[in-house]
Amino acid sequence: MTSPAPHPFTVGFDLDMTLIDSRPGIKATYEALSAETGTWIDAAEAVTRLGPPLDEELANWFPEERIAEMADRYREIYPAYAIEPSPAMRGAREAVEAVRALGGRAIVVTAKHEPNARLHLTHLGIEPDAVVGWLWAEAKAVALREYGARVYVGDHVGDVRGARTAGALSVAVPTGPCPAPELLEAGADVVLADLTELPAWLAEYVGTQLPAAVAQEA
């Protein structure tokens, strides 16, 4: 990862169930993989556990020695099944645009295979300033620190841990598998109902808390 240019205000976003509802596409991909391999995968149940790396889910259906092979095949067929049926989450485009409108930079940091993450964003017309894939939970702090993110927005307790490890403010939305109480218990600083509430919250943060944080660092 090359070091990005310094920027006064960066907000990071998770992808699955934060910016996009990837459940329809992931379900279709699991069903295709199941049909191709002859191995039963309960795709409807699998999409209730989105967030952790793909290998963790595949371990429920394949023996350990086949997981790497199946993960490669899943990622290979994913574009054909998953991109078209997966919509943006409510308020996703507006949330990214709100960061820019306030003079900030928006990045996406996700555990998803990075090329497939980019396909989703391009298809939906969501244009972050950077996309970093293959990072989960605490490992997300690598990219968040690299880009100097002050805020990280996600739907999973793993996203909360990533934000806290990076020293960023954890803003959580209970639009994925983790309800609000679980996100708060994990250490989320702020829990919003969904991304439609982010622009107003962000405007207040930039106008009040951000100047104080910058002054403390100076």
Side-chain angles (χ1 to χ4, degrees):
M1 186 189 302
T2 58
S3 296
H7 195 280
F9 176 43
T10 298
V11 176
F13 291 89
D14 175 50
L15 184 66
D16 289 347
M17 303 313 298
T18 299
L19 288 176
I20 69 169
D21 183 351
S22 51
R23 290 172 299 184
I26 290 175
K27 183 175 183 289
T29 307
Y30 277 132
E31 289 170 345
L33 185 66
S34 178
E36 181 179 302
T37 61
T39 299
W40 164 244
I41 299 173
D42 189 338
E45 178 163 342
V47 297
T48 68
R49 297 190 285 256
L50 298 185
L54 172 63
D55 288 8
E56 292 187 21
E57 182 60 44
L58 291 175
N60 293 313
W61 315 107
F62 294 95
E64 184 177 357
E65 65 272 14
R66 296 199 68 197
I67 290 175
E69 173 197 355
M70 291 300 97
D72 286 344
R73 182 56 181 157
Y74 173 96
R75 295 182 182 111
E76 184 178 2
I77 66 175
Y78 187 94
Y81 293 96
I83 306 302
E84 182 68 31
S86 298
M89 296 295 283
R90 199 163 72 100
R93 294 182 186 87
E94 293 83 356
V96 171
E97 290 166 3
V99 177
R100 292 221 188 83
L102 292 166
R105 173 175 61 184
I107 66 171
V108 171
V109 182
T110 174
K112 189 179 289 296
H113 182 54
E114 189 173 306
N116 288 340
R118 291 180 181 276
L119 287 174
H120 275 296
L121 293 164
T122 298
H123 174 70
L124 295 171
I126 299 173
E127 300 179 351
D129 296 283
V131 180
V132 183
W134 303 299
L135 296 177
W136 160 241
E138 289 84 354
K140 292 188 174 190
V142 174
L144 296 175
R145 287 176 179 146
E146 189 78 14
Y147 281 86
R150 296 183 180 276
V151 176
Y152 184 59
V153 185
D155 68 283
H156 198 282
V157 293
D159 300 323
V160 176
R161 300 202 305 269
R164 295 186 69 84
T165 302
L169 196 74
S170 171
V171 176
V173 285
T175 50
C178 302
E182 186 176 352
L183 294 165
L184 286 168
E185 186 178 352
D189 297 291
V190 178
V191 176
L192 306 175
D194 59 28
L195 289 182
T196 63
E197 295 185 357
L198 186 70
W201 176 87
L202 195 60
E204 181 179 357
Y205 172 75
V206 170
T208 58
Q209 298 179 57
L210 182 60
V214 172
Q216 280 187 334
E217 294 175 4

